[in-house]
mmCIF file of all heavy atoms in Angstrom:
data_model
loop_
_atom_site.group_PDB
_atom_site.id
_atom_site.type_symbol
_atom_site.label_atom_id
_atom_site.label_comp_id
_atom_site.label_asym_id
_atom_site.label_seq_id
_atom_site.Cartn_x
_atom_site.Cartn_y
_atom_site.Cartn_z
ATOM 1 N N ALA A 44 -10.855 -0.727 -6.550
ATOM 2 C CA ALA A 44 -10.185 0.400 -6.156
ATOM 3 C C ALA A 44 -10.377 0.685 -4.614
ATOM 4 O O ALA A 44 -9.503 1.359 -3.995
ATOM 5 C CB ALA A 44 -10.537 1.648 -6.987
ATOM 6 N N THR A 48 -6.592 -1.052 -1.923
ATOM 7 C CA THR A 48 -5.702 0.083 -1.724
ATOM 8 C C THR A 48 -5.508 0.369 -0.213
ATOM 9 O O THR A 48 -4.299 0.392 0.288
ATOM 10 C CB THR A 48 -6.421 1.323 -2.262
ATOM 11 O OG1 THR A 48 -7.830 1.315 -1.929
ATOM 12 C CG2 THR A 48 -6.288 1.391 -3.761
ATOM 13 N N SER A 110 -0.335 3.042 -2.878
ATOM 14 C CA SER A 110 -0.947 1.688 -3.373
ATOM 15 C C SER A 110 -1.299 1.701 -4.829
ATOM 16 O O SER A 110 -1.302 0.572 -5.424
ATOM 17 C CB SER A 110 -2.405 1.611 -2.674
ATOM 18 O OG SER A 110 -2.392 2.092 -1.405
ATOM 19 N N ASN A 114 -0.641 5.532 -10.865
ATOM 20 C CA ASN A 114 -1.879 6.197 -11.077
ATOM 21 C C ASN A 114 -2.724 5.708 -12.331
ATOM 22 O O ASN A 114 -2.516 4.523 -12.658
ATOM 23 C CB ASN A 114 -1.634 7.774 -11.194
ATOM 24 C CG ASN A 114 -1.129 8.368 -9.874
ATOM 25 O OD1 ASN A 114 -0.828 7.614 -8.946
ATOM 26 N ND2 ASN A 114 -1.025 9.595 -9.835
ATOM 27 N N VAL A 115 -3.544 6.490 -12.855
ATOM 28 C CA VAL A 115 -4.219 6.088 -14.082
ATOM 29 C C VAL A 115 -3.659 6.944 -15.199
ATOM 30 O O VAL A 115 -3.494 8.085 -15.084
ATOM 31 C CB VAL A 115 -5.791 6.478 -13.896
ATOM 32 C CG1 VAL A 115 -6.490 6.167 -15.204
ATOM 33 C CG2 VAL A 115 -6.383 5.649 -12.743
ATOM 34 N N ARG A 117 -2.969 9.058 -18.499
ATOM 35 C CA ARG A 117 -3.628 10.226 -19.103
ATOM 36 C C ARG A 117 -3.288 10.312 -20.651
ATOM 37 O O ARG A 117 -2.254 9.760 -21.023
ATOM 38 C CB ARG A 117 -3.274 11.543 -18.495
ATOM 39 C CG ARG A 117 -3.449 11.671 -16.980
ATOM 40 C CD ARG A 117 -4.892 11.605 -16.578
ATOM 41 N NE ARG A 117 -5.184 12.191 -15.295
ATOM 42 C CZ ARG A 117 -5.062 11.506 -14.129
ATOM 43 N NH1 ARG A 117 -4.746 10.256 -14.100
ATOM 44 N NH2 ARG A 117 -5.388 12.158 -12.955
ATOM 45 N N PRO A 177 -0.107 10.411 -4.054
ATOM 46 C CA PRO A 177 -0.496 9.006 -4.009
ATOM 47 C C PRO A 177 -1.941 8.724 -4.320
ATOM 48 O O PRO A 177 -2.417 7.580 -4.612
ATOM 49 C CB PRO A 177 -0.229 8.623 -2.485
ATOM 50 C CG PRO A 177 -0.296 9.938 -1.814
ATOM 51 C CD PRO A 177 0.216 10.993 -2.722
ATOM 52 N N PHE A 178 -2.753 9.808 -4.418
ATOM 53 C CA PHE A 178 -4.160 9.678 -4.833
ATOM 54 C C PHE A 178 -4.331 10.379 -6.232
ATOM 55 O O PHE A 178 -5.496 10.635 -6.597
ATOM 56 C CB PHE A 178 -5.082 10.350 -3.824
ATOM 57 C CG PHE A 178 -5.163 9.615 -2.492
ATOM 58 C CD1 PHE A 178 -4.354 10.004 -1.498
ATOM 59 C CD2 PHE A 178 -5.892 8.474 -2.337
ATOM 60 C CE1 PHE A 178 -4.311 9.295 -0.233
ATOM 61 C CE2 PHE A 178 -5.952 7.778 -1.093
ATOM 62 C CZ PHE A 178 -5.119 8.286 -0.083
ATOM 63 N N GLY A 179 -3.245 10.656 -6.959
ATOM 64 C CA GLY A 179 -3.374 11.329 -8.170
ATOM 65 C C GLY A 179 -3.704 12.794 -7.884
ATOM 66 O O GLY A 179 -3.556 13.337 -6.820
ATOM 67 N N ALA A 180 -4.056 13.437 -9.044
ATOM 68 C CA ALA A 180 -4.486 14.902 -8.863
ATOM 69 C C ALA A 180 -5.339 15.207 -10.068
ATOM 70 O O ALA A 180 -5.422 14.461 -11.113
ATOM 71 C CB ALA A 180 -3.163 15.640 -8.974
ATOM 72 N N ARG A 183 -9.568 13.503 -12.304
ATOM 73 C CA ARG A 183 -9.657 12.121 -12.209
ATOM 74 C C ARG A 183 -8.952 11.592 -10.919
ATOM 75 O O ARG A 183 -8.675 10.387 -10.832
ATOM 76 C CB ARG A 183 -9.121 11.342 -13.415
ATOM 77 C CG ARG A 183 -9.770 11.681 -14.717
ATOM 78 C CD ARG A 183 -11.307 11.311 -14.719
ATOM 79 N NE ARG A 183 -11.445 9.878 -14.614
ATOM 80 C CZ ARG A 183 -11.483 9.018 -15.571
ATOM 81 N NH1 ARG A 183 -11.405 9.526 -16.870
ATOM 82 N NH2 ARG A 183 -11.724 7.727 -15.469
ATOM 83 N N CYS A 185 -8.278 10.282 -7.101
ATOM 84 C CA CYS A 185 -9.125 9.222 -6.308
ATOM 85 C C CYS A 185 -10.279 9.860 -5.638
ATOM 86 O O CYS A 185 -10.096 10.811 -4.722
ATOM 87 C CB CYS A 185 -8.207 8.500 -5.417
ATOM 88 S SG CYS A 185 -9.095 7.346 -4.328
ATOM 89 N N TYR A 190 -12.295 8.517 2.497
ATOM 90 C CA TYR A 190 -12.738 7.249 3.038
ATOM 91 C C TYR A 190 -11.553 6.227 3.294
ATOM 92 O O TYR A 190 -11.486 5.566 4.248
ATOM 93 C CB TYR A 190 -13.808 6.680 2.017
ATOM 94 C CG TYR A 190 -14.382 5.290 2.373
ATOM 95 C CD1 TYR A 190 -15.194 5.158 3.378
ATOM 96 C CD2 TYR A 190 -13.998 4.150 1.570
ATOM 97 C CE1 TYR A 190 -15.686 3.898 3.762
ATOM 98 C CE2 TYR A 190 -14.480 2.998 1.866
ATOM 99 C CZ TYR A 190 -15.340 2.768 2.902
ATOM 100 O OH TYR A 190 -15.836 1.459 3.197
HETATM 101 C C1 HEM B 1 -5.689 4.561 0.716
HETATM 102 C C2 HEM B 1 -6.390 4.160 -0.222
HETATM 103 C C3 HEM B 1 -6.490 4.596 -1.601
HETATM 104 C C4 HEM B 1 -5.461 4.912 -2.520
HETATM 105 C C5 HEM B 1 -3.950 5.117 -2.136
HETATM 106 C C6 HEM B 1 -5.946 5.152 -3.760
HETATM 107 C C7 HEM B 1 -5.269 5.670 -4.871
HETATM 108 C C8 HEM B 1 -5.845 5.981 -6.131
HETATM 109 C C9 HEM B 1 -5.127 6.481 -7.290
HETATM 110 C C10 HEM B 1 -3.552 6.738 -7.267
HETATM 111 C C11 HEM B 1 -5.970 6.669 -8.300
HETATM 112 C C12 HEM B 1 -5.724 7.270 -9.638
HETATM 113 C C13 HEM B 1 -5.870 8.752 -9.601
HETATM 114 C C14 HEM B 1 -5.252 9.506 -10.726
HETATM 115 O O1 HEM B 1 -4.782 8.868 -11.753
HETATM 116 O O2 HEM B 1 -5.267 10.779 -10.728
HETATM 117 C C15 HEM B 1 -7.252 6.259 -7.766
HETATM 118 C C16 HEM B 1 -8.466 6.347 -8.512
HETATM 119 C C17 HEM B 1 -9.655 5.864 -8.089
HETATM 120 N N1 HEM B 1 -10.020 5.400 -6.768
HETATM 121 FE FE1 HEM B 1 -8.664 5.335 -5.207
HETATM 122 N N2 HEM B 1 -7.383 4.968 -3.782
HETATM 123 C C18 HEM B 1 -7.623 4.610 -2.383
HETATM 124 C C19 HEM B 1 -8.892 4.383 -1.918
HETATM 125 C C20 HEM B 1 -10.067 4.336 -2.682
HETATM 126 C C21 HEM B 1 -11.313 4.073 -2.181
HETATM 127 C C22 HEM B 1 -11.608 3.647 -0.693
HETATM 128 C C23 HEM B 1 -12.292 4.077 -3.293
HETATM 129 C C24 HEM B 1 -13.715 3.924 -3.313
HETATM 130 C C25 HEM B 1 -14.518 3.559 -2.406
HETATM 131 C C26 HEM B 1 -11.491 4.480 -4.398
HETATM 132 C C27 HEM B 1 -11.995 4.568 -5.771
HETATM 133 C C28 HEM B 1 -11.313 5.127 -6.794
HETATM 134 C C29 HEM B 1 -11.904 5.220 -8.120
HETATM 135 C C30 HEM B 1 -13.319 4.916 -8.508
HETATM 136 C C31 HEM B 1 -10.810 5.764 -8.941
HETATM 137 C C32 HEM B 1 -10.920 6.105 -10.462
HETATM 138 C C33 HEM B 1 -11.272 7.575 -10.565
HETATM 139 C C34 HEM B 1 -11.373 8.079 -11.992
HETATM 140 O O3 HEM B 1 -10.685 7.416 -12.833
HETATM 141 O O4 HEM B 1 -11.953 9.043 -12.196
HETATM 142 N N3 HEM B 1 -10.129 4.593 -4.064
HETATM 143 N N4 HEM B 1 -7.123 5.825 -6.504
#
Side-chain angles (χ1 to χ4, degrees):
T48 45
S110 330
N114 291 10
V115 173
R117 307 291 202 274
F178 293 95
R183 300 297 297 270
C185 177
Y190 177 70

